[in-house]
Every structure is written in structure tokens, then in C-alpha cells.
Amino acid sequence: MLDIKMIRLNEDEVKTRLATRNVKPETIDDLLEQDKIRRGLVVKTETLKQKRNEVSQAIAQAKRNKEDAGVAIAEMKEVGNEIKQLDEQLNVVNDKVLDMAARLPNLPNPTIPVGPDEAANVEIKVVGTPRKFDFEPKAHWNIGENLGILDFERGAKVSGSRFLYYKGWGARLERAIYNFMLDEHAKEGYTEVLPPYMVNGASMFGTGQFPKFKEDVFQIEGQDLTLIPTAEVPLTNYYRDEVIPDEDLPVYFTALSPSFRSEAGSAGRDTRGLIRLHQFNKVEMVKYCKPENSYDELEKMTLNAGNILDKLGLPYHVITLSTGDMGFSAAMTHDVEVWMPSQHVYREISSCSNCEDFQARRAHIQYRDEDGKLKFVHTLNGSGLAVGRTVAAIIENCQNEDGTVTVPEVLRPYMNGLEVIK
């Protein structure tokens, strides 16, 4: 969440920067108008409460002097009723200001590309060269079904569209990949966590999914619980409403978890394969750090994601997302996209974001600086990686003409030495 005081003091700059994220200037005007009303009500209530204190003292003095305090008592009652009415108004306006502010996205870092959508994204690094096949490469779903390691038909029968079964060496490959990822991140100093897979509304608010994106998730009817769309939510909320000791920063967490997404608005997109599912595994990276270090930590996190693809031998590139393509809570995002031969295109496999103090302000996560002053930490998150998409990339990039798939060398110890999936 953005600091309302900062918005008030930098109105024009906020309007300009948020305009690049499709926020209309009138939205800021409406918020500041409600904030003005709120501050006016606060002044009125504080003035009346001061008056009530003075009247109370006058009543006490009159009683000590055995004087008639009837007029003063009547006045205090009238003041009390007025305070009650103003407090009710203030609660309504406070809720309105909070809701309006909570729906504003983060301010984009001034250095990122400006544009309405993914067409304005900028490529910053290319790693590896896409393999030249001497046969027409097949899509991962066709290869997986032919090998009997992916079963989309029975997944749809049992659960519906965008679900599947991994079977045999397919299940083993998925497990090998996420164990390899967790081991690699542990080498980089991440603490492995096994988080809850359901979280409350306060946690969803803390990371920015609520209130704006409720249609994108699966909620438990009648309970304050939501199936996590990513392990970012429980990992980032680990320190919600806490002060992290200065000496503990930076904090690195990594976790494997299922991710549950309704994929609202994605009708007709990636209807086949492992790219866009309602349930998928993902290894997540989350960092808490001091503001002065957060952009260095973003670069390290992006390298951590790329390191997985380097060791798997998969070609990829890294892009910086434009203002119009970036996620709600992010100030800057680097996407790592892996090459998919059957589509002749790079597809996202990791998204690494610096949220600055946006999530920390919502979740109230702080630390004390050298002077003992409380400040909000900066939070970062990134996929390290989306496991199903990694399976898809391995199947496609490592496929053979006879329909088999060569297992990347680094995964073979996790697969009982298997070299080729037949």
C-alpha cells in the first residue's frame, strides 16, 4: 500500500507515475478528497474531546465547591453525543480511504520501461542458444501422453479442465526438479520452509491479492481461508505485524508448495499442456531486506532463478517488464523466460519482483534502523522456478526423434540414475 502522506505531498508525481499503470488522475483526486474529509473529522473530534475534558474538570471542580453542575453536565452530554456521531462518520470515511488506497498499485520504479502491455518489455539478457532440431519438435503434451507420463484426459475426468495426473517417470521428474531447485537455493543461503497452503484474508491483503483480485483465487466457503495462489503469500506474511531484528536482515526463504489459481479471464489461452493450470507446484523465493539493498537483492534473486536453467542446460532470456505488464505489488520485475521449441517462443518460468515497502506497509513488517527508528522493510519474491513449466521445457528441449526424452545430467541423481525416459 502507498503511504497516504506521501501521496498528499507528491500528488502530481504520483498521478504521473500511476498513469503509466492505467490509474486515472481522478482516482487520486477522489482518494485525496476523502482523505481531506477524514482529516477534517479528526480535527473536529479531537477538538470536542478536548472540550469534553475541560467540561469534566469544570464539573469536578463545581462538585468539590458544592456548586450546581447541572448546566455543565448537560453540556457534556451534548458534546458526548456529537463525538459519537462524528466517530461513526469517521469510521465510515476511514474504511473508504483504506479501500481506495488498497486498490492502488505500487509506484513503478522510474527506470523501468513505460508501456501499456508486454509489447513494451525490454530484453536485458539472453543465455544459451535454442537447439536446432533435425526433426519437427513436438509439443510437451503430445510427448508426455505418448510416453504415459502425463495424463490430461483423466485429470479432466476427475477434476475438470486444467488438471492432470503425472504418472511414473513423469511424477518422478516433477519431484526430481523441485528437490533439485530447493537444494540449489539452499546453497545460496535460502532457508527452506514448508508453509500452510491455506491463509486468512489478512494474509491475502498483506501481499496485495485482496481486495482487488478475489476472483483470481479459490476461497473456502463460510471460512476466512483461501487456497494460496503462490507460496509468496505465506512466506511474506511470516513476519506480518512484527519487527524483524536488524541483525537478522536480510532474510531469505524458499518453499515448495502447490499453487491454486482460478485463471479468471484466461479462457482460450494455453488450454493444453502444463503452462496454465488451476493447480501446479512452484518453488518460491522470498526476501526481506533493508531499503538500501533491495535492488541488489533483486538482481541476485534473478540470477538464482537463472542458475536453475543454466544447470539444466535450457536456453532462456531475461526481460524487464513495462509499467503496464507488471504485477500489482511490484515496483520492478524481471521475468525469466525459457525457450519452448514447439511454439518457437520464450515463455515465462520465473517472475522476480521488488515490491519495495508496498507489501510491508500493508502487512506492517518493520525493522529498527541504526538510530532505533522503526522503518518498513523491503520485500521481494520470485519463482525459483514454476515446476510444471520446467517439466514442459525439459520435455520439449530434451526430446529425441524417437519420442524419448533425455534427462538433464543434474537431475539423474534424483531419478535413480535414469538417463532417458522411454
Side-chain angles (χ1 to χ4, degrees), residues 181-182 184-196 230-240 242 244-245 248-256 282-289 297 301 304 365 379-384:
M181 291 176 181
L182 291 170
E184 288 299 308
H185 294 320
K187 294 175 186 176
E188 300 294 338
Y190 291 83
T191 298
E192 184 177 347
V193 177
L194 185 61
T230 164
E232 170 200 344
V233 181
L235 292 182
T236 303
N237 280 278
Y238 185 85
Y239 286 113
R240 177 160 52 87
E242 294 187 35
I244 304 174
D248 289 352
L249 292 172
V251 175
Y252 292 8
F253 284 153
T254 188
L256 163 75
K282 182 155 70 78
V283 172
E284 188 73 7
M285 302 176 289
V286 161
K287 294 183 177 184
Y288 305 80
C289 66
E297 294 293 351
M301 179 178 280
N304 296 153
I365 307 169
T379 62
L380 300 90
N381 64 81
S383 308

Side-chain angles (χ1 to χ4, degrees), residues 109-350:
N109 183 290
T111 66
I112 68 174
V114 175
D117 51 36
E118 62 185 19
N121 296 343
V122 174
E123 184 179 73
I124 57 175
K125 183 166 71 171
V126 178
V127 180
T129 303
R131 173 184 168 190
K132 292 184 178 180
F133 290 85
D134 52 13
F135 60 93
E136 186 64 30
K138 295 178 181 178
H140 64 273
W141 56 85
N142 288 329
I143 300 168
E145 287 172 336
N146 290 337
L147 288 173
I149 61 174
L150 303 178
D151 193 332
F152 294 95
E153 185 176 345
R154 288 187 175 89
K157 177 185 71 174
V158 171
S159 300
S161 62
R162 300 185 190 272
F163 289 93
L164 83 152
Y165 284 93
Y166 288 87
K167 184 180 176 185
W169 285 115
R172 186 66 177 267
L173 178 62
E174 173 104 353
R175 179 156 56 97
I177 288 169
Y178 61 66
N179 282 331
F180 167 68
M181 291 176 181
L182 291 170
D183 288 346
E184 288 299 308
H185 294 320
K187 294 175 186 176
E188 300 294 338
Y190 291 83
T191 298
E192 184 177 347
V193 177
L194 185 61
Y197 299 159
M198 292 185 285
V199 295
N200 56 31
S203 297
M204 294 292 284
F205 178 85
T207 44
Q209 280 80 12
F210 283 4
K212 195 170 183 179
F213 302 103
K214 285 190 175 184
E215 72 279 1
D216 294 336
V217 297
F218 292 105
Q219 294 184 270
I220 308 301
E221 187 174 356
Q223 298 188 53
D224 182 24
L225 286 172
T226 299
L227 293 170
I228 60 171
T230 164
E232 170 200 344
V233 181
L235 292 182
T236 303
N237 280 278
Y238 185 85
Y239 286 113
R240 177 160 52 87
D241 297 322
E242 294 187 35
V243 177
I244 304 174
D246 174 79
E247 62 271 18
D248 289 352
L249 292 172
V251 175
Y252 292 8
F253 284 153
T254 188
L256 163 75
S257 79
S259 299
F260 303 94
R261 301 187 184 179
S262 70
E263 292 297 341
S266 68
R269 296 177 60 194
D270 299 311
T271 55
R272 300 194 67 183
L274 298 169
I275 299 299
R276 199 176 298 276
L277 300 171
H278 288 310
Q279 174 193 318
F280 59 93
N281 288 322
K282 182 155 70 78
V283 172
E284 188 73 7
M285 302 176 289
V286 161
K287 294 183 177 184
Y288 305 80
C289 66
K290 296 178 182 179
E292 59 266 28
N293 301 326
S294 65
Y295 280 94
D296 287 340
E297 294 293 351
L298 175 62
E299 298 308 314
K300 291 178 186 177
M301 179 178 280
T302 307
L303 288 173
N304 296 153
N307 172 63
I308 303 297
L309 295 174
D310 290 335
K311 294 191 173 183
L312 290 171
L314 299 175
Y316 65 96
H317 73 169
V318 181
I319 60 175
T320 298
L321 299 192
S322 71
T323 53
D325 196 34
M326 196 164 54
F328 179 80
S329 297
M332 175 182 281
T333 298
H334 296 322
D335 269 10
V336 180
E337 297 185 330
V338 67
W339 180 255
M340 299 297 288
S342 73
Q343 301 175 35
H344 303 285
V345 71
Y346 290 103
R347 299 300 302 267
E348 178 199 334
I349 199 166
S350 174

